[in-house]
Amino acid sequence: MNRRSVIRCLGCGALATAAFQSDILPEILGGIQNAFAFDYAKNLSSVEARYYKKLEGGGIECGLCPRHCRVTDLERGYCGVRENRNDTYHTLIYGLPCSMNIDPIEKKPLFHFYPGTTAFSLATAGCNVNCKFCQNWDISQSRPEQTNNIDLPPQAIPPICLENKAPTIAYTYSEPVIFYEYMYDIAVQGKKKGIRSVMITGGYIEKEPLKELFPIIDAIKVDLKSIREDYYKNIVNGELKPVLDSLVMIKNSGVWLEIVYLVVPTLNDSETEFHDLAKWIKSNLGNEVPLHFSRFHPQYLLKNLPPTPQKTLETAYEICRAEGLKYVYLGNLPGHPAESTYCPQCGKILIERRGYKIYQYNLNGNLCRYCNQTIPGLF
Amino acid sequence: MSKVVVIRFSSPILAKGQEKEQYKLMLQLGLRSLSGEDDIKKSLRKYIPAGVVGMKTNCLARKFNSTPIYLCDALGAILIEMGTEENDIIIWERTGRELEMAGYKLNASSFGKRCFGTDTNGVGYSGDFYNSGDVNSLVTRILTEVVDSNINLPVLKDHSIAGLSAALKNLYGAINNPNKWHGNNCDPFAAHIANFDPIKNKNKLTIIDAMRVQYNGGPGYDSRYVADYKGLIISDDPVAADRIGLEIVEHYRKLNNLPTLEKAVRPAKYLKSAEKLGLGVEDITKIELTVSAIDLNGIAKSTKLFDE
């Protein structure tokens, strides 16, 4: 796919996503497959992966995420997108996104990061966890052979952003940790052109590779899926502790941080959990990190559960505000007052949002225009 | 009781240019022995109904140690003799790339035996998830919609995580998310994958290629740990076939002063889980094993599982 056709694709407003190759192609492109020339990548990439070590006696151990997969020749790690070839570990999805779009930054959601701007958003196949509620499972739980990938090397992305007036690149939809090398190189290319990068992640990453991202990533949104280890084990297929460690590291690094908590009925929606969540955030990250409670919709392997009741989300909101968190939001409830930002000092509305749109903006730089209270974030 | 037949080739090497015929002799003897039928057509028909027949290969180890093309050719020839249309035979793997790297020529046309991966345009995976235990996966449409029956054609190998890669482990190639189910030595995941309805119901026969056994360093190829067993393991019970395969892998490990798979921290414990799910027999005392040797001239005799 050349740059021009990417732009045309974006102009159609369609999510150039992939899902599974096969006869469902017309469906996934929303019937616009003839609107632009698509050249799907024919091969997987074979760029050497970072953060792995060779093992005595053969095989490698991946050090990118806390899973530390040990992978023998011709096998792949849990993510499904890294393969051992003769004891050299390769990323198979470098330069091969399967999903991209231009989104409002509010969709990430990042509410204290250049509100009202857009982000060129992309993802590859694969993920290092397997959440039972995943909303993008058709790409995150796929191997790259199962998605339609587009040839898009890192250096091709900043010009697309500039032409489409997108000041930010978002690594999102699946889990950018698993396309680390690609993300890293895009962010470096973006920096050269003054384009910001934001990472939308589950935070399940080892310390060293995370630290290496701080100089080139401008904001990170972490999906903190629960404050309970057993939820991570049974619903996420991951671990809580490394995610909490990542949150603390990000906060201490100075990279802008926001947190999303998807409230899943009966699984992580008790008042005790909301209290524990707020207390942990306040103690470890401070009370100014924005926290978004997001409404669950039945998806993937949890189709048996109902959408999160509005009342539950409002309870979570009230508890966290009462615990002292200053910026708590409710998501996937378009038009709800808790989508907006309020000044913690004077209580007046600073940014009025409905869905992903902004209707009022009452900040002067980082200051409340009514009382001069400093609002954390990048505005 | 489950029945497993092992056919060993008693001549020193597979004669160049005669490999397909040798495989055919072994298959004919093995299928007759397994079915108790003298007529080869009747013996295969006992397991494989009329219609489209799949052959699930294992091409992970590329040309070095994948399901031999000769085996597919020989089996295809028997199926055609049995009345199966050539185009109703489908040799398949999860990707076309893997088939090609193992030396297969892809063919999705209406002529000749078909050969393609699930990633072929127009194939893909089922629209709905299949579940067993905690395992949730999409299953290749080759099994859910295309074939009427399937013959599983794995290669006998050690596996760095599962311990054993043979019949059950080869079925990971039928699902969309195999990398998610390798924890705990693939137990009970390998059993649950084999328990998905379309996999369990369509798989009628298992023929494990044990010509060259990768008894350590698998599932890729490692020339240091390959033994020329020159055998095929045939059964309509995939668990029992695997159990006999495990004996062979352990035999060569012992012969080469390697620790048992248990001591190597990769016991093939998923076989017991498979038995619990009713997929077959893991208890070796309940497996009726017949071992025969056949030579270049097709002369067969009874023999033992291992050489003295």
Side-chain angles (χ1 to χ4, degrees), chain A residues 20-23 72-80 83 85 127 129-130 137 141 143 145-146 300-301, chain B residues 60-62 94-95 97 119 121-125 129 136 138 141 159-160 176-181 219-220:
Chain A
F20 298 102
Q21 289 186 1
S22 77
D23 52 358
T72 51
D73 190 29
L74 300 174
E75 290 276 83
R76 294 186 191 175
Y78 185 89
C79 60
E83 185 172 283
R85 293 178 181 170
C127 187
V129 292
N130 184 9
W137 65 268
Q141 301 307 317
R143 291 153 76 94
E145 295 93 338
Q146 297 160 3
Y300 189 34
L301 304 176
Chain B
L60 181 97
R62 302 173 183 173
R94 56 189 170 187
T95 66
R97 168 178 156 259
D119 64 334
N121 200 15
V123 183
Y125 292 89
F129 281 88
N136 307 273
L138 303 177
R141 286 174 63 199
H159 190 284
S160 60
N176 71 313
N177 53 359
N179 40 297
K180 303 297 183 196
W181 313 116

Side-chain angles (χ1 to χ4, degrees), chain B residues 168-185:
Chain B
L168 266 57
K169 189 65 185 60
N170 194 35
L171 299 172
Y172 274 61
I175 61 170
N176 71 313
N177 53 359
N179 40 297
K180 303 297 183 196
W181 313 116
H182 278 78
N184 193 41
N185 305 118

Side-chain angles (χ1 to χ4, degrees), chain B residues 143-218:
Chain B
L143 282 182
T144 61
E145 295 180 39
V146 182
V147 302
D148 296 298
S149 60
N150 188 64
I151 303 172
N152 192 7
L153 300 176
V155 176
L156 185 58
K157 295 187 280 190
D158 163 52
H159 190 284
S160 60
I161 298 169
L164 177 75
S165 175
L168 266 57
K169 189 65 185 60
N170 194 35
L171 299 172
Y172 274 61
I175 61 170
N176 71 313
N177 53 359
N179 40 297
K180 303 297 183 196
W181 313 116
H182 278 78
N184 193 41
N185 305 118
C186 298
D187 180 55
F189 310 119
H192 283 299
I193 290 163
N195 195 39
F196 289 159
D197 279 344
I199 295 180
K200 181 171 60 180
N201 297 337
K202 294 280 175 78
N203 261 314
K204 302 295 185 188
L205 195 60
T206 295
I207 302 172
I208 303 174
D209 187 87
M211 286 294 188
R212 300 196 306 159
V213 178
Q214 184 77 57
Y215 57 88
N216 191 45

Side-chain angles (χ1 to χ4, degrees), chain B residues 222-233:
Chain B
D222 189 332
S223 61
R224 293 172 299 173
Y225 307 114
V226 176
D228 282 327
Y229 183 71
K230 295 186 291 182
L232 293 179
I233 304 168

Side-chain angles (χ1 to χ4, degrees), chain B residues 10 32 54 112 194 198 213 231 245 261 292:
Chain B
S10 57
R32 284 192 185 109
V213 178
L261 291 170
S292 301

Side-chain angles (χ1 to χ4, degrees), chain A residues 80-207:
Chain A
V81 299
R82 291 166 175 266
E83 185 172 283
N84 179 351
R85 293 178 181 170
N86 204 15
D87 285 352
T88 299
Y89 210 32
H90 291 264
T91 165
L92 307 178
I93 35 76
Y94 186 95
L96 296 173
C98 64
S99 186
M100 53 189 182
N101 200 9
I102 290 188
D103 289 335
I105 198 76
E106 284 76 14
K107 190 178 175 183
K108 302 299 117 191
L110 284 167
F111 279 10
H112 291 227
F113 187 84
Y114 302 104
T117 62
T118 56
F120 176 81
S121 307
L122 77 160
T124 71
C127 187
N128 60 349
V129 292
N130 184 9
C131 302
K132 290 183 176 174
F133 47 77
C134 185
Q135 309 215 344
N136 291 319
W137 65 268
D138 54 346
I139 57 172
S140 70
Q141 301 307 317
S142 293
R143 291 153 76 94
E145 295 93 338
Q146 297 160 3
T147 55
N148 289 308
N149 311 313
I150 295 156
D151 255 320
L152 203 62
Q155 64 273 19
I157 291 174
I160 297 171
C161 297
L162 292 172
E163 285 193 37
N164 286 273
K165 297 183 172 51
T168 301
I169 304 162
Y171 314 97
T172 180
Y173 304 139
S174 55
E175 172 49 69
V177 168
I178 58 95
F179 60 90
Y180 184 94
E181 297 81 2
Y182 184 40
M183 168 174 63
Y184 189 98
D185 291 354
I186 296 170
V188 168
Q189 294 290 332
K191 272 268 180 270
K192 288 180 190 169
K193 302 284 184 187
I195 298 163
R196 301 180 283 264
S197 276
V198 299
M199 183 186 184
I200 311 305
T201 177
Y204 195 48
I205 181 171
E206 269 299 344
K207 292 181 174 60

Side-chain angles (χ1 to χ4, degrees), chain B residues 52 86-91 107-109 112-116 146:
Chain B
V52 181
E86 195 178 12
N87 200 237
D88 283 346
I89 296 169
I90 300 175
I91 299 162
N107 175 28
S109 78
K113 286 198 292 284
R114 284 181 278 174
C115 178
F116 51 77
V146 182

Side-chain angles (χ1 to χ4, degrees), chain A residues 13-294:
Chain A
L15 178 65
T17 189
F20 298 102
Q21 289 186 1
S22 77
D23 52 358
I24 61 169
L25 188 60
E27 289 174 32
I28 61 174
L29 294 175
I32 59 155
Q33 73 274 28
N34 295 322
F36 48 87
F38 241 107
D39 294 326
Y40 289 127
K42 290 182 175 63
N43 298 307
L44 303 180
S45 74
S46 57
V47 171
E48 185 173 2
R50 298 172 203 171
Y51 302 105
Y52 76 94
K53 65 179 180 187
K54 296 184 183 189
L55 298 172
E56 273 185 43
I60 64 93
E61 181 177 321
C62 183
L64 182 58
C65 93
R67 207 171 277 283
H68 281 262
C69 293
R70 289 186 165 215
V71 185
T72 51
D73 190 29
L74 300 174
E75 290 276 83
R76 294 186 191 175
Y78 185 89
C79 60
V81 299
R82 291 166 175 266
E83 185 172 283
N84 179 351
R85 293 178 181 170
N86 204 15
D87 285 352
T88 299
Y89 210 32
H90 291 264
T91 165
L92 307 178
I93 35 76
Y94 186 95
L96 296 173
C98 64
S99 186
M100 53 189 182
N101 200 9
I102 290 188
D103 289 335
I105 198 76
E106 284 76 14
K107 190 178 175 183
K108 302 299 117 191
L110 284 167
F111 279 10
H112 291 227
F113 187 84
Y114 302 104
T117 62
T118 56
F120 176 81
S121 307
L122 77 160
T124 71
C127 187
N128 60 349
V129 292
N130 184 9
C131 302
K132 290 183 176 174
F133 47 77
C134 185
Q135 309 215 344
N136 291 319
W137 65 268
D138 54 346
I139 57 172
S140 70
Q141 301 307 317
S142 293
R143 291 153 76 94
E145 295 93 338
Q146 297 160 3
T147 55
N148 289 308
N149 311 313
I150 295 156
D151 255 320
L152 203 62
Q155 64 273 19
I157 291 174
I160 297 171
C161 297
L162 292 172
E163 285 193 37
N164 286 273
K165 297 183 172 51
T168 301
I169 304 162
Y171 314 97
T172 180
Y173 304 139
S174 55
E175 172 49 69
V177 168
I178 58 95
F179 60 90
Y180 184 94
E181 297 81 2
Y182 184 40
M183 168 174 63
Y184 189 98
D185 291 354
I186 296 170
V188 168
Q189 294 290 332
K191 272 268 180 270
K192 288 180 190 169
K193 302 284 184 187
I195 298 163
R196 301 180 283 264
S197 276
V198 299
M199 183 186 184
I200 311 305
T201 177
Y204 195 48
I205 181 171
E206 269 299 344
K207 292 181 174 60
E208 190 58 30
L210 177 60
K211 193 176 147 194
E212 292 292 318
L213 289 174
F214 292 151
I216 54 164
I217 297 287
D218 299 275
I220 301 179
K221 189 221 80 180
V222 174
D223 284 302
L224 177 58
K225 296 159 201 281
S226 169
I227 199 72
R228 299 280 186 265
E229 196 68 70
D230 61 345
Y231 183 93
Y232 265 85
K233 185 182 172 197
N234 299 322
I235 306 297
V236 176
N237 290 293
E239 301 164 87
L240 171 64
K241 175 72 167 54
V243 177
L244 297 180
D245 292 345
S246 293
L247 283 165
V248 173
M249 271 185 74
I250 296 164
K251 179 63 186 166
N252 292 340
S253 75
V255 172
W256 181 248
L257 169 67
E258 299 194 23
I259 297 171
V260 164
Y261 185 103
L262 180 75
V263 182
V264 184
T266 73
L267 298 179
N268 66 353
D269 63 345
S270 72
E271 292 188 14
T272 315
E273 282 166 290
F274 297 144
H275 279 289
D276 291 349
L277 173 70
K279 282 174 182 158
W280 186 88
I281 290 173
K282 196 176 165 187
S283 306
N284 294 278
L285 309 174
N287 62 358
E288 294 199 325
V289 173
L291 170 63
H292 305 252
F293 286 106
S294 191

